[in-house]
Every structure is written in structure tokens, then in C-alpha cells.
């Protein structure tokens, strides 16, 4: 892991069986002040489009958490940090939508994840490209 880039780390975590959100947050978390185990727990419920509901893709929620970790306000009065965090979140989502036409898990995968419990093969084929694409967008905006 020491000589791997963020995309390779996230891909390796995904191949281990972690969801997209966990894979991204854990890949970046240690550099941003949270332990790998904490990152995996925080992002655990975001897989499959938030709780496997096919909603907002885990790479998107993971990326937004990474942006928040890096730039988020720690004072309720820090209007600059809030504004920058929202701006970067919007930039990320715009760039992701421009590349993929959606941020919705079920639309990105092309099927309703809630009605297809044995969808592992499709997910393992499609999600890695979203992970690597997300890392490239994050690297541009961080």
C-alpha cells in the first residue's frame, strides 16, 4: 500500500469486498486525519447508493466526505470554509455528471440494485471505472 496511488488503494479495497464509498474514504482518510477503521465504518452504510437503495452512488458520497474532511468547517461561524466545501462538492458533482450523466447508482449500473441481490458480477465489472474516475476528479479539485 505504501507505493500505491489513491486509485490503486481504493481499487484494492474494493476488490477486498468493501463498497465504493468505503474504498474511497479509507484510501484518503489517513492523510486527512481519520484512521482506516473509522473511515470504513463511517462509509459503510453508503454502498449501493446509500444502504443499497440505488440512490446516490457510493463514489459520490465518498468523494463528498473526502472534500468535507479536507475543507469542512469546524466552527459554525466559518462561512469561508462552508462556502468552499459546498463549492467543491458542487464542482465534484458537476464533473462527475459531465463524465457519467448521473450520480444515481441504479442509473450508473443500468439496473435496479434493490431487486437484483446477485448483482456482484456486474458491480465488480462496472464500479472500478467509477472509482478511478472519481479519484481523478478529486485529485483535480483537492
Amino acid at each position: 500500500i505504501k507505493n500505491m496511488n489513491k486509485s490503486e488503494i481504493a481499487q484494492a479495497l474494493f476488490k477486498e469486498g468493501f463498497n465504493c464509498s468505503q474504498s474511497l474514504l479509507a484510501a484518503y482518510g489517513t492523510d486527512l486525519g481519520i484512521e482506516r477503521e473509522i473511515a470504513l465504518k463511517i462509509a459503510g452504510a453508503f454502498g449501493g447508493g446509500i444502504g443499497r437503495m440505488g440512490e446516490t452512488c457510493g463514489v459520490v458520497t465518498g468523494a463528498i466526505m473526502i472534500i468535507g474532511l479536507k475543507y469542512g468547517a469546524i466552527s459554525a461561524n466559518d462561512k469561508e470554509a462552508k462556502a468552499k466545501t459546498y463549492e467543491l462538492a458542487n464542482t465534484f458533482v458537476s464533473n462527475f455528471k459531465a463524465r457519467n450523466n448521473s450520480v444515481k447508482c441504479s442509473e450508473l449500473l443500468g439496473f435496479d440494485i434493490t431487486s437484483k441481490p446477485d448483482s456482484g458480477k456486474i458491480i465488480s465489472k462496472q464500479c472500478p471505472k467509477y472509482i478511478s474516475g472519481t479519484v481523478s476528479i478529486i485529485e483535480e479539485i483537492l
Side-chain angles (χ1 to χ4, degrees):
I1 286 186
K2 279 194 167 59
N3 295 329
M4 297 168 79
N5 65 37
K6 297 294 184 218
S7 184
E8 293 166 335
I9 294 168
Q11 298 285 350
L13 288 165
F14 182 76
K15 282 188 185 115
E16 274 182 50
F18 292 106
N19 70 45
C20 294
S21 193
Q22 288 175 302
S23 300
L24 283 165
L25 191 60
Y28 281 88
T30 51
D31 290 348
L32 299 172
I34 61 171
E35 296 171 26
R36 178 185 166 181
E37 292 77 17
I38 301 294
L40 293 170
K41 283 185 171 200
I42 289 169
F46 289 89
I50 305 174
R52 207 167 166 85
M53 294 185 294
E55 296 298 329
T56 304
C57 176
V59 296
V60 175
T61 55
I64 303 249
M65 287 187 271
I66 291 164
I67 291 166
L69 271 173
K70 176 115 178 162
Y71 296 105
I74 55 170
S75 161
N77 298 327
D78 191 346
K79 290 177 179 29
E80 270 184 47
K82 284 182 185 180
K84 180 170 183 103
T85 304
Y86 292 152
E87 178 189 334
L88 291 173
N90 279 286
T91 299
F92 172 81
V93 170
S94 294
N95 288 349
F96 189 88
K97 277 185 178 174
R99 292 180 183 203
N100 303 297
N101 301 314
S102 180
V103 294
K104 194 170 179 181
C105 178
S106 59
E107 292 174 3
L108 294 167
L109 292 176
F111 66 90
D112 179 1
I113 194 169
T114 63
S115 66
K116 241 184 158 168
D118 60 343
S119 55
K121 284 183 182 163
I122 300 168
I123 289 170
S124 64
K125 278 193 175 107
Q126 290 192 26
C127 295
K129 72 179 178 210
Y130 295 121
I131 292 170
S132 61
T134 294
V135 169
S136 69
I137 297 170
I138 291 170
E139 293 298 323
E140 284 171 26
I141 66 175
L142 288 188

